[in-house]
Amino acid sequence: MADVPFKAHRTVRVGLIGLGNRGHGMASGWAAVPGCTVTAVCDIRAERAGRTADLLVSEGRPRPAEYGGSADAYQRMLRRDDIDLVYIATPWEFHYEQGRAALLAGKHALVELPVATELDELWDLVDTSERTRRHLILSENCNYGRNELAMLKMAHDGLFGEITNGHGGYLHDLRALLFSDTY
């Protein structure tokens, strides 16, 4: 949704879906953001939800509600009324379904890449976001780094002249690392 601001919240309440190395590691980051609290965590493996909840408690944060043990556990979590934003760090094949479900549940969604793997799924997410008036954001950390934002500012300032075309990208499958106990 272009040009639609987020509604202001004194505290942003976050639910996490997918607690492998990426999701588990991001839990502390979310909890450390001023004005943000992790209210629920979910993984198909219930012990991972417990591990992440334990981590947050050990850092002095409130214990989030735990969901897990089944493929539809995230759907139960999405029924909560104390979640404003859902962060999704599951394997690729679940991103579209879980991101769409978050929007339909009235939550904003931040989804690790790729958001979807089929063009019709991408357009459906756009349509669903616009219909529900909830944002779906691609969690691509390489877009928001210091170097990337510096290049964007230079382009906007005209340092490179008139840019008429640009192309870039990469493709790598990190699932083996993200689910490794030794990574």
Side-chain angles (χ1 to χ4, degrees), residues 10-23:
R10 181 174 296 280
T11 300
V12 176
R13 303 163 303 172
V14 179
L16 310 177
I17 303 174
L19 303 168
N21 287 341
R22 180 71 170 176

Side-chain angles (χ1 to χ4, degrees), residues 82-165:
D82 64 348
I83 297 174
D84 304 305
L85 172 73
V86 178
Y87 169 66
I88 299 169
T90 55
W92 297 0
E93 57 268 24
F94 305 114
H95 289 180
Y96 163 72
E97 173 187 321
Q98 292 170 342
R100 186 173 189 278
L103 296 173
L104 291 171
K107 306 347 180 180
H108 299 289
L110 181 72
V111 185
E112 286 291 341
L113 65 95
V115 173
T117 57
E118 301 292 331
L119 189 57
D120 63 323
E121 293 174 344
L122 291 167
W123 279 115
D124 184 50
L125 290 172
V126 169
D127 293 340
T128 303
S129 171
E130 290 177 350
R131 188 173 65 255
T132 61
R133 308 304 287 167
R134 294 295 179 262
H135 293 278
L136 185 130
I137 307 156
L138 171 63
S139 181
E140 172 45 78
N141 55 323
C142 291
N143 286 344
Y144 312 110
R146 182 182 178 98
N147 294 334
E148 292 79 11
L149 292 176
M151 294 297 286
L152 179 62
K153 181 176 182 344
M154 288 188 284
H156 284 179
D157 290 347
L159 188 65
F160 307 121
E162 182 184 354
I163 298 176
T164 59
N165 187 8

Side-chain angles (χ1 to χ4, degrees), residues 24-100:
H24 177 72
M26 291 293 290
S28 295
W30 282 110
V33 173
C36 182
T37 186
V38 176
T39 57
V41 294
C42 178
D43 194 279
I44 193 168
R45 297 176 186 156
E47 68 274 6
R48 288 188 178 191
R51 174 185 71 153
T52 300
D54 290 344
L55 171 69
L56 292 171
V57 168
S58 76
E59 295 173 347
R61 309 291 182 191
R63 185 172 199 87
E66 299 171 38
Y67 293 83
S70 67
D72 65 348
Y74 76 95
Q75 293 170 346
R76 292 192 311 276
M77 187 189 87
L78 291 176
R79 290 195 285 267
R80 298 179 65 92
D81 61 3
D82 64 348
I83 297 174
D84 304 305
L85 172 73
V86 178
Y87 169 66
I88 299 169
T90 55
W92 297 0
E93 57 268 24
F94 305 114
H95 289 180
Y96 163 72
E97 173 187 321
Q98 292 170 342
R100 186 173 189 278

